[in-house]
Amino acid sequence: KQEVTQIPAALSVPEGENLVLNCSFTDSAIYNLQWFRQDPGKGLTSLLLIQSSQREQTSGRLNASLDKSSGRSTLYIAASQPGDSATYLCAVLNSGGSNYKLTFGKGTLLTVNP
Amino acid sequence: GAVVSQHPSRVICKSGTSVKIECRSLDFQATTMFWYRQFPKQSLMLMATSNEGSKATYEQGVEKDKFLINHASLTLSTLTVTSAHPEDSSFYICSAPTGSWYQETQYFGPGTRLLVL
């Protein structure tokens, strides 16, 4: 059974700081790994998707890396802004029997203080 | 990007009633949709996989007769919470992949907040 762990559970930083969010997973037989953002009471917004054959993906100030063999991923946010405040979720896609299945971590609640 | 909508966004109902939640893919067709439940400060938990034209696949521990799923068209899946109880109060989110979805991201609806009194 796939398990996804995110560390830290919460993080508070001053505006402008660079930061790293961590994600680990127990079953390395994944198809891809995705990072999502969730604002309070809202749905999910996809930030980055890394295929199992890839090592990293970049979008603007965001950079995500994947080390499939060790079951780890990091999300790097450069020059953080108050608008980055949200919960960041990591999810991995596995084959779940006859269907594919996304398994989520509990998320990291990020607060960027102005 | 692709858009997935959910309706209603928020619903309050009395215990024992049934509630239907709709999930629509607005600009693409989705043969598969997923239903998740999220309790406060917890992660999303997959409830079931909705397959167009066939029966849904439920995750272990999810009652099929309580959470009825219908995927009658390529753009609509519905989740009906039957005989709702206060412990069913939660945030329900659907998602739909586009194309060869193990290579592409899934698009999530904005969620439905259910409160059962």
Side-chain angles (χ1 to χ4, degrees):
Chain A
K1 178 186 175 185
Q2 179 71 272
E3 292 183 3
V4 179
T5 303
Q6 290 188 246
I7 295 174
L11 181 63
S12 181
V13 300
E15 182 177 3
E17 196 162 291
N18 302 324
L19 56 99
V20 175
L21 308 182
N22 298 289
C23 172
S24 62
F25 47 95
T26 55
D27 182 355
S28 61
I30 64 172
Y31 289 98
N32 62 48
L33 181 145
Q34 299 178 60
W35 283 93
F36 294 90
R37 168 185 174 140
Q38 185 176 30
D39 292 287
K42 305 290 185 182
L44 276 65
T45 301
S46 177
L47 297 174
L48 290 165
L49 180 149
I50 310 177
Q51 300 294 346
S52 61
S53 59
Q54 297 175 326
R55 298 284 292 181
E56 66 176 339
Q57 283 288 331
T58 299
S59 176
R61 295 182 292 108
L62 304 179
N63 176 276
S65 67
L66 173 63
D67 185 341
K68 183 181 165 185
S69 60
S70 67
R72 295 178 188 275
S73 175
T74 60
L75 178 66
Y76 175 82
I77 302 178
S80 58
Q81 303 171 357
D84 295 332
S85 298
T87 296
Y88 289 80
L89 296 167
C90 166
V92 295
L93 184 68
N94 288 94
S95 173
S98 59
N99 283 308
Y100 298 98
K101 179 177 177 179
L102 263 182
T103 303
F104 284 83
K106 289 186 177 181
T108 294
L109 176 61
L110 173 65
T111 303
V112 181
N113 301 300
Chain B
V3 178
V4 175
S5 70
Q6 278 185 245
H7 178 79
S9 59
R10 183 184 295 268
V11 58
I12 301 173
C13 68
K14 293 182 179 180
S15 184
T17 61
S18 294
V19 175
K20 180 186 284 187
I21 302 171
E22 294 185 347
C23 177
R24 293 182 184 272
S25 56
L26 298 184
D27 51 359
F28 66 101
Q29 294 182 331
T31 56
T32 303
M33 291 184 176
F34 300 89
W35 286 97
Y36 296 85
R37 182 167 51 184
Q38 186 179 32
F39 291 108
K41 297 189 178 181
Q42 296 296 314
S43 189
L44 278 75
M45 295 299 294
L46 180 65
M47 298 175 65
T49 302
S50 173
N51 302 298
E52 189 270 334
S54 64
K55 290 183 179 180
T57 303
Y58 290 81
E59 293 299 300
Q60 193 172 11
V62 178
E63 300 176 57
K64 300 178 183 181
D65 295 332
K66 181 168 186 61
F67 298 99
L68 301 179
I69 291 174
N70 183 279
H71 195 153
S73 78
L74 290 172
T75 59
L76 173 64
S77 174
T78 61
L79 168 68
T80 301
V81 183
T82 62
S83 186
H85 288 96
E87 58 265 30
D88 297 324
S89 299
S90 187
F91 193 53
Y92 293 86
I93 307 178
C94 70
S95 75
T98 60
S100 54
W101 56 279
Y102 53 88
Q103 294 178 323
E104 298 179 17
T105 190
Q106 292 194 33
Y107 291 91
F108 285 76
T112 296
R113 176 77 60 190
L114 171 62
L115 177 61
V116 184
L117 302 176

